[in-house]
């Protein structure tokens, strides 16, 4: 099934949030060149990685983020193992399509790389929660950690060389730190809801990450009645500065079609920079107990969005213009794609017909109740 997108118009999504109001400087970001846009998406099949697959003495699982190396012609995937099974690590693998289709035999694991802390040692157990990964070329890989709100471990975005050795820590404002035990409900990241996403622009000058849901001071988590205001962060890789932040409105919890279950959760699980002008592909992942997952891909534009970098709270601030978003595909409803806990995406090489290979990867949480899937898509991107 090939999904053709008739319109590339981006529509801002604004959720109704609770009280409070603060003044902010309305600084808009405008594009300097024509933005990229996805005009079609076609499923190419899936590869299933068996539960607890062993590779070079490690357990493949918990795969939460993806990135593509054009230089080396391979993908990397971060495991969210908190150094509990083996030391925190990422995997390198290649993909080969057979008759234009992705199959179980398409994925070939090449190696794994252990992440090392500032002291050159593998990370201690529960010292990090690695979730996002982004390559910048032949010399640097960035990894995002959600931290741990319960253990009071702050999230981070660090740069490593390709051998996993620590090189750099990007600045992390205190507004993202976990709340102290005396202020647990009012400040900082929610536990397990911080920096799932990570992506670098094609020109390798800019890095984006985002919170999975709202900071405690910014708003509530999504429910079936309302959405949640996450924050997108934009860093300059030349000097590591945090340049801008933008509000991104996550959908309300929408159960899978045909399900009527209550409750559930949704988060911004990953992003992919499509151009150098602030166009991103966002992966929103919903889970409703007893009903399963809903996975939606959105094309996001930061053009015209308000810079909220100086605002410690955005709760109830009606002056803020959020990033705009356009639905590209609901994977089940639009493309009839089998679902699991998809958390990562990466844009790979061009295919013979000029389209690009897009991969999504699912996190099995090292559970036999979930699966590690690698789903392939052919996407047309203009201009």
């Amino acid at each position: 099934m090939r999904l053709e997108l008739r319109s590339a118009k981006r529509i801002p999504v604004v959720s109704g949030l609770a009280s409070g109001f603060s003044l902010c400087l309305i600084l808009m970001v405008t594009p300097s060149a024509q933005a990229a846009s996805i005009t079609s998406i076609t499923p190419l099949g899936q590869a299933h990685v068996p539960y607890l697959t062993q590779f070079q003495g490690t357990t493949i699982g918990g795969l939460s983020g993806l990135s593509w190396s054009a230089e080396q012609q391979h993908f990397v995937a971060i495991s969210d193992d908190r150094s509990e099974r083996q030391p925190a690590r990422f995997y390198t693998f290649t993909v080969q399509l057979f008759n234009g289709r992705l199959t179980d035999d398409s994925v070939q694991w090449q190696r794994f790389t252990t992440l090392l802390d500032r002291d050159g040692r593998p990370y201690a157990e529960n010292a990090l929660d690695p979730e996002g990964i982004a390559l910048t070329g032949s010399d640097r890989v960035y990894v995002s950690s959600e931290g741990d709100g319960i253990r009071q471990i702050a999230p981070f975005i660090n740069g490593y060389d390709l051998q996993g050795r620590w090189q750099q820590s990007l600045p992390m404002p205190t507004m993202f730190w976990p709340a102290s035990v005396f202020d647990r409900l009012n400040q900082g990241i929610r536990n397990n809801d911080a920096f799932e996403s990570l992506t670098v622009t094609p020109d390798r000058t800019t890095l984006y990450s985002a919170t999975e849901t709202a900071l405690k001071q910014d708003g509530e988590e999504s429910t079936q009645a309302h959405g949640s205001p996450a924050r997108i962060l934009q860093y300059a890789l030349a000097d590591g500065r945090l340049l801008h932040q933008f509000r991104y409105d996550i959908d309300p919890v929408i159960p899978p079609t045909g399900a009527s279950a209550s409750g559930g959760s949704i988060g911004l699980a990953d992003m992919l920079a499509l151009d150098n002008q602030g166009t991103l592909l966002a992966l929103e992942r919903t889970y409703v107990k007893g009903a399963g997952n809903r996975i939606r891909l959105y094309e996001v534009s930061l053009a015209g969005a308000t810079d909220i970098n100086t605002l410690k709270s955005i709760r109830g601030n009606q002056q803020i213009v959020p990033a705009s978003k356009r639905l590209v595909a609901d994977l089940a409803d639009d493309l009839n794609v089998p679902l699991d806990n998809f958390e990562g995406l990466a844009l790979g090489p061009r295919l013979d017909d000029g389209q690009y290979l897009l991969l999504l990867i699912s996190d099995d949480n090292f559970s036999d109740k979930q699966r590690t899937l690698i789903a392939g898509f052919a996407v047309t991107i203009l201009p």
Side-chain angles (χ1 to χ4, degrees):
M1 179 183 294
R2 176 183 176 92
L3 179 63
E4 298 281 357
L5 305 178
R6 296 183 179 180
S7 172
K9 182 179 180 181
R10 299 181 176 92
I11 303 173
V13 177
V14 181
S15 60
L17 297 172
S19 61
F21 179 81
S22 60
L23 293 174
C24 69
L25 176 65
I26 303 297
L27 175 60
M28 304 297 187
V29 174
T30 55
S32 57
Q34 187 174 358
S37 186
I38 295 177
T39 59
S40 72
I41 179 168
T42 307
L44 299 179
Q46 297 184 342
H48 173 228
V49 182
Y51 176 58
L52 298 184
T53 291
Q54 298 299 297
F55 176 74
Q56 297 181 352
T58 71
T59 305
I60 295 180
L63 303 181
S64 298
L66 277 178
S67 191
W68 163 252
S69 171
E71 289 81 4
Q72 303 298 323
Q73 294 289 294
H74 62 222
F75 292 90
V76 295
I78 189 76
S79 171
D80 66 6
D81 186 349
R82 301 185 183 193
S83 292
E84 294 173 318
R85 293 163 182 82
Q86 295 95 33
R89 60 202 176 278
F90 64 88
Y91 292 93
T92 300
F93 67 94
T94 59
V95 167
Q96 180 181 359
L97 300 182
F98 296 103
N99 296 319
R101 302 292 296 174
L102 188 70
T103 71
D104 289 351
D105 295 327
S106 295
V107 176
Q108 297 295 318
W109 302 98
Q110 304 295 314
R111 62 182 178 273
F112 77 92
T113 303
T114 299
L115 294 175
L116 304 178
D117 62 18
R118 289 172 181 255
D119 298 322
R121 296 191 293 262
Y123 281 91
E125 185 173 341
N126 291 315
L128 76 170
D129 181 9
E131 296 285 354
I133 190 166
L135 292 162
T136 63
S138 59
D139 62 348
R140 186 66 57 91
V141 58
Y142 285 88
V143 171
S144 62
S145 168
E146 287 195 303
D148 191 314
I150 296 175
R151 292 182 173 89
Q152 297 294 294
I153 299 173
F156 67 68
I157 301 173
N158 286 351
Y160 303 84
D161 66 18
L162 297 187
Q163 288 70 51
R165 295 173 295 206
W166 179 90
Q167 301 289 304
Q168 176 190 21
S169 291
L170 298 182
M172 186 60 58
T174 57
M175 70 176 71
F176 295 98
W177 294 7
S180 71
V181 292
F182 303 106
D183 189 29
R184 191 179 297 275
L185 298 177
N186 300 316
Q187 171 70 39
I189 59 168
R190 289 179 160 88
N191 189 52
N192 207 35
D193 277 331
F195 299 112
E196 285 266 355
S197 57
L198 205 62
T199 185
V200 170
T201 52
D203 64 6
R204 298 168 178 171
T205 64
T206 305
L207 179 144
Y208 293 100
S209 187
T211 58
E212 191 175 356
T213 190
L215 298 178
K216 292 179 180 178
Q217 66 267 30
D218 283 346
E220 306 306 316
E221 297 175 274
S222 290
T223 69
Q224 292 193 17
H226 61 76
S228 182
R231 287 183 182 237
I232 294 176
L233 290 73
Q234 179 182 344
Y235 287 91
L237 290 180
D239 56 13
R241 286 182 302 135
L242 177 57
L243 297 177
H244 307 290
Q245 294 184 52
F246 307 97
R247 171 174 158 174
Y248 175 89
D249 286 333
I250 298 169
D251 285 352
V253 176
I254 305 173
T257 299
S260 58
S262 61
S265 62
I266 183 173
L268 176 55
D270 206 1
M271 299 187 303
L272 170 67
L274 295 176
D275 60 21
N276 306 316
Q277 286 79 49
T279 307
L280 306 163
L281 183 64
L283 190 164
E284 292 194 25
R285 175 208 52 209
T286 299
Y287 174 72
V288 179
K289 187 175 182 179
N293 294 103
R294 178 185 286 275
I295 307 294
R296 285 183 165 182
L297 298 178
Y298 284 97
E299 188 176 292
V300 178
S301 175
L302 302 178
T306 306
D307 186 352
I308 60 172
N309 200 28
T310 61
L311 300 182
K312 294 183 179 180
S313 173
I314 61 172
R315 185 184 289 266
N317 191 327
Q318 300 301 315
Q319 287 190 316
I320 295 171
V321 178
S324 58
K325 53 192 275 191
R326 176 181 67 91
L327 181 64
V328 172
D330 182 303
L331 295 193
D333 289 356
D334 297 329
L335 299 174
N336 197 30
V337 171
L339 300 184
D340 213 286
N341 184 36
F342 285 110
E343 287 194 357
L345 72 166
L347 193 67
R350 273 201 154 169
L351 303 174
D352 291 342
D353 61 5
Q355 297 186 91
Y356 288 90
L357 175 64
L358 174 71
L359 291 190
L360 272 65
I361 200 163
S362 68
D363 176 3
D364 69 350
N365 289 306
F366 294 97
S367 168
D368 60 2
K369 303 296 190 295
Q370 295 176 283
R371 296 174 298 168
T372 297
L373 297 177
I374 300 175
F377 301 84
V379 294
T380 302
I381 302 176
L382 298 176

